[in-house]
Amino acid sequence: MRKGRYRVKRRRTALALATTPLVAGLVLAVVPGAEAQPDLSGKTIEYNVLTTEGGSVDAAAAAVRANGGTVVKSNRAAGLLTVRAPENGFTARLARSGAVQDAAKVRSIGHVPKARQAPRPSVVEKENREGAAKSKAKAAATAGMDPLDAQLWGLTSVRSNLARTKQAGDRRVKVGIIDTGIDGSHPDIAPNFDLADSRNFTQDIPFDELGQEVDGPCEFRGCVDPADWDDGAHGTHVAGTIGAAVNGQGISGVAPNVTLVNIRAGQDSGFFFLQPTVDALTYAGDAGIDVVNMSFFTDPWLYNCTNNPADSPEQQAEQRLVIRAVTRALNYAHRHGVTMVAALGNEHTDLGHPLPDATSPDYPDGTAHDPARTIDPATCLTMPTEGPNVIGVSSYGPSRKKADYSNYGASQISVSAPGGFFRDFFGTPFFRTNENLILSAYPQHIGVIEGNIDDAGNITEQGVALGVQKDCKNGACGYYQFLQGTSMASPHATGVAALIVSQYGRFNGGDAGMNPAKVRDVLEGTAFKIPCPVPPTLSYAQEGRPAEFDATCEGTLQFNGFYGHGSVDAWAAVTRGNQFLR
C-alpha cells in the first residue's frame, strides 16, 4: 500500500485519505501562425495549461489549437485547461505565448487505495437510495441524539450535544465535501443529502496510456459514477461526522440539520487530478456552498516547492503550476463566500520545520527522490492546507493528547479537533482500542469489498475486530466504521463552522450566507483553549513510535502549535459567537 499524505488509520489497516492535485508545468507559449507548422508527431497525451494571471481562457485555448492541441476541459474561474496534444515539444511551443503561464503533463494528485473494484449497485441498494430520498423531512431548529452517539466522544468533546439544544443547523446551510464521493443512500446521510446540487467532476479511467490499471472496469454505463456514490468510503465517513441526521438510527453529526453536498474530485482508485480538484473548488463558489471540507493534499508532491534544488526544472514547474492553480481556485471560492476547512496532515511533522521528504514524487511508484528532499517552508507548501484563506485543523485523541500522527506548527495551524488516536491512554485498558477512534458512516458495498460485511449484510469476524457496527430501523440498515486521521478532525471543525453560519448567517429565501472571515473569527474566538503539555516535548516512545515522532509544542495558552486557537467548541460558537463578529 502506498503511503498517502493524509491516511485514514484504523486497527491493523490504513486507508490513504488525503490526496490532491496533480500536474505540473513548464513555462509555455504559443507559436504565431506565420511560423513553421508545429511538429505534430509523437504520442498524444493530456496536459494541464494555466493562463496568465487574469488572462483569457479563449486566448489560451487558441494557443493550444495553434500548436496542435485540443481542449478537453476548461475552468474560466481559475484559468485552467486540460488539453490533449502530441508530446513532441508541445510545452516548448507554448512557451512564447503571452496567454499561457504554465503547462505540464497531467499527473495524479492523490491516492486513496482500496482492495478491489466496487461492484455494481444491487437492486436493493437502488431501492434504499430511492426510498431514502422520499423520506426527507424538514428538520427542526434543535435536535436530540441517536442510538450510537454514546460512542462519539468527538461529538461530546466539541459539545455538539449541547449546541444542538439551541442550534442544530439550518437546512439552508450547504456543506460541500470535496472527496471520494458520498453514499447518498446511507440512512444517516440520505435525510440531509442534496443530490440536485451534488456533482461528480471525475470520469472513471480504466487504464492509463501505459496500460496500467487506474480505476479498473467501469461500474456504471458511461464510466461516470452517480453523484450519490462513494467507492472510497472516506467521503461518506467525513459526511457522517459533519451532518449525519438525527433520525433515531445510528449516529448523528456535529451539525445534524444542515444540507450535505457531494463535490467529488477523487477517482474510484483514490487519485485526485488537478482539473477536477480546481473544478470542485470553483463550483463550490458558484453553487452557493457555505462551507467545504478538504481532507486531501496535492500529490504527487508531499510539498509543492517552487525551486527545490533536488527537483529537475520540469518538476519545479509542475509544482509551481499546482500552487498557482489551487491558489486561484481557493481565492475564487473565498470571494464567493465559501469557508474552507482542511486537514493539517498525518506526517507527524512540524510544518514550520518539516522532516525531510522521502516520499515525493509518490506517483508513479518508485520515482521518489533518493536521498530525501530537504524542505524549506519558505518556498514549499502543502496544498490546499497552506493555501490562502484555509482553516487548518490538527488532530487529538480522546485524552486530548495530540495524536501521534498529526502534523502541527504555529505558522500553519488554526484550530484542533477530535481525529482519533488508537494508541491513546497508554498504560490503561483503553490503550489500542477501537473506541479511541472516530465512528462514522460506512458504505455497505465497501464493507463487503473489505471483508467486514458478508453478502447477507452480517458483520464478519474481521469486521467485529475492527469495530464495524450495524444499526437497523424499519428494515433499513446502516453500517459504521472506526477511523482516525486529521481527515477525521477537520469534519468536526467543518460541522462547527456550519453551525456558525446557521446561527449568525444572513438568509435570503432558500439561501444562507456569511463572510468566511467572520466564520473564522467565531470559530477561532470561541475555541476551547488547550495549553502546551509540560514539558512541551512529547515522546511517543511508550506508544511504540520512533524518535522522529517526538513533537515540541511552541506557543501559549492563547495560541500554540499543537492546538492553534484551541479545540473547536460548538456550544460556545452558537452561544457566544456574536462577541467575535465585527
Side-chain angles (χ1 to χ4, degrees):
M1 179 179 293
R2 295 175 60 249
K3 179 179 179 182
R5 168 60 196 259
Y6 299 149
R7 299 185 300 281
V8 175
K9 303 186 174 187
R10 59 187 168 196
R11 190 176 182 182
R12 290 193 296 275
T13 64
L15 176 64
L17 322 171
T19 40
T20 28
L22 95 109
V23 297
L26 294 171
V27 180
L28 344 122
V30 68
V31 179
E35 297 186 3
Q37 291 297 311
D39 177 9
L40 302 183
S41 62
K43 180 174 60 178
T44 298
I45 61 175
E46 285 196 347
Y47 294 86
N48 282 122
V49 175
L50 191 66
T51 67
T52 54
E53 188 69 42
S56 166
V57 168
D58 291 336
V64 167
R65 290 191 293 270
N67 286 279
T70 301
V71 176
V72 177
K73 298 178 183 177
S74 64
N75 184 304
R76 292 182 179 275
L80 180 68
L81 301 87
T82 296
V83 308
R84 292 186 63 81
E87 63 179 337
N88 287 351
F90 178 69
T91 56
R93 292 193 300 272
L94 284 179
R96 292 190 296 276
S97 170
V100 177
Q101 180 166 343
D102 295 297
K105 295 178 182 178
V106 167
R107 297 269 304 271
S108 162
I109 61 176
H111 189 205
V112 180
K114 61 180 184 178
R116 58 184 172 87
Q117 197 65 30
R120 294 179 176 83
S122 66
V123 172
V124 173
E125 287 170 329
K126 290 179 179 177
E127 291 175 349
N128 284 346
R129 183 181 296 119
E130 293 166 357
K134 295 177 181 177
S135 69
K136 293 183 181 181
K138 181 176 177 58
T142 60
M145 304 291 283
D146 270 342
L148 300 183
D149 285 352
Q151 300 180 55
L152 305 188
W153 60 268
L155 201 71
T156 305
S157 184
V158 303
R159 301 206 290 178
S160 169
N161 57 324
L162 294 178
R164 66 187 58 190
T165 64
K166 177 179 176 63
Q167 177 60 262
D170 191 293
R171 182 75 70 215
R172 292 168 291 181
V173 174
K174 298 179 180 180
V175 180
I177 291 86
I178 302 179
D179 215 294
T180 60
I182 297 177
D183 178 6
S185 70
H186 193 287
D188 261 322
I189 301 295
N192 291 341
F193 185 68
D194 185 345
L195 179 59
D197 278 349
S198 292
R199 297 290 185 273
N200 174 12
F201 287 102
T202 71
Q203 297 185 55
D204 286 353
I205 305 172
F207 300 92
D208 64 18
E209 67 272 11
L210 300 178
Q212 297 177 332
E213 182 174 298
V214 180
D215 295 324
C218 299
E219 312 104 64
F220 295 91
R221 292 184 180 92
C223 290
V224 176
D225 294 344
D228 58 352
W229 187 256
D230 180 12
D231 274 335
H234 178 249
T236 299
H237 195 281
V238 166
T241 297
I242 295 169
V246 174
N247 58 354
Q249 180 178 5
I251 64 165
S252 65
V254 173
N257 287 355
V258 300
T259 294
L260 300 171
V261 181
N262 175 29
I263 311 178
R264 177 174 165 180
Q267 301 293 136
D268 282 355
S269 54
F271 289 113
F272 282 66
F273 293 96
L274 184 59
Q275 187 78 52
T277 301
V278 168
D279 288 347
L281 281 165
T282 59
Y283 173 76
D286 293 335
I289 304 298
D290 298 289
V291 188
V292 294
N293 187 89
M294 303 182 293
S295 293
F296 63 90
F297 78 106
T298 307
D299 274 334
W301 303 94
L302 180 57
Y303 301 93
N304 287 277
C305 302
T306 58
N307 57 358
N308 194 300
D311 300 327
S312 69
E314 183 178 5
Q315 290 173 333
Q316 291 175 0
E318 287 180 7
Q319 294 164 78
R320 289 194 294 269
L321 175 57
V322 169
I323 292 172
R324 288 168 177 155
V326 175
T327 295
R328 289 186 190 180
L330 292 170
N331 283 333
Y332 183 87
H334 178 76
R335 291 194 304 269
H336 286 73
V338 183
T339 297
M340 297 173 288
V341 183
L344 205 60
N346 297 336
E347 281 67 52
H348 59 272
T349 192
D350 181 345
L351 291 174
H353 310 280
L355 294 169
D357 176 13
T359 64
S360 299
D362 60 5
Y363 178 85
D365 287 335
T367 60
H369 285 319
D370 186 14
R373 297 192 303 169
T374 299
I375 299 300
D376 177 4
T379 59
C380 299
L381 299 174
T382 178
M383 299 294 285
T385 301
E386 294 186 88
N389 306 305
V390 175
I391 298 169
V393 186
S394 70
S395 175
Y396 60 75
S399 73
R400 283 196 171 156
K401 182 177 183 178
K402 185 190 82 68
D404 53 356
Y405 56 80
S406 180
N407 287 349
Y408 57 101
S411 298
Q412 293 78 20
I413 193 172
S414 174
V415 291
S416 55
F421 181 14
F422 184 61
R423 301 174 189 231
D424 207 353
F425 291 116
F426 176 79
T428 77
F430 295 161
F431 179 62
R432 296 179 67 89
T433 55
N434 292 319
E435 290 73 18
N436 288 343
L437 311 183
I438 303 299
L439 185 69
S440 191
Y442 189 25
Q444 181 179 352
H445 73 282
I446 297 299
V448 173
I449 290 171
E450 294 181 343
N452 297 326
I453 303 169
D454 66 22
D455 290 337
N458 301 307
I459 299 173
T460 65
E461 183 177 348
Q462 172 183 292
V464 171
L466 293 173
V468 174
Q469 299 183 40
K470 174 182 180 180
D471 192 34
C472 301
K473 180 183 177 182
N474 298 328
C477 296
Y479 295 85
Y480 309 86
Q481 66 170 333
F482 284 104
L483 297 175
Q484 71 173 357
T486 54
S487 283
M488 280 62 257
S490 60
H492 285 87
T494 298
V496 176
L499 292 179
I500 291 169
V501 180
S502 298
Q503 183 67 19
Y504 306 108
R506 295 183 178 181
F507 294 88
N508 180 16
D511 296 323
M514 186 170 176
N515 186 323
K518 292 184 177 181
V519 178
R520 183 173 193 148
D521 286 343
V522 176
L523 187 72
E524 295 178 346
T526 59
F528 181 78
K529 307 303 180 186
I530 305 177
C532 286
V534 179
T537 297
L538 283 181
S539 170
Y540 297 93
Q542 63 183 7
E543 287 90 353
R545 295 302 197 185
E548 73 171 36
F549 279 77
D550 292 357
T552 299
C553 183
E554 298 176 338
T556 66
L557 174 64
Q558 297 303 311
F559 183 85
N560 60 68
F562 277 13
Y563 303 101
H565 291 275
S567 172
V568 294
D569 187 334
W571 172 245
V574 301
T575 58
R576 297 191 292 107
N578 54 2
Q579 301 175 26
F580 300 93
L581 295 174
R582 55 180 189 270

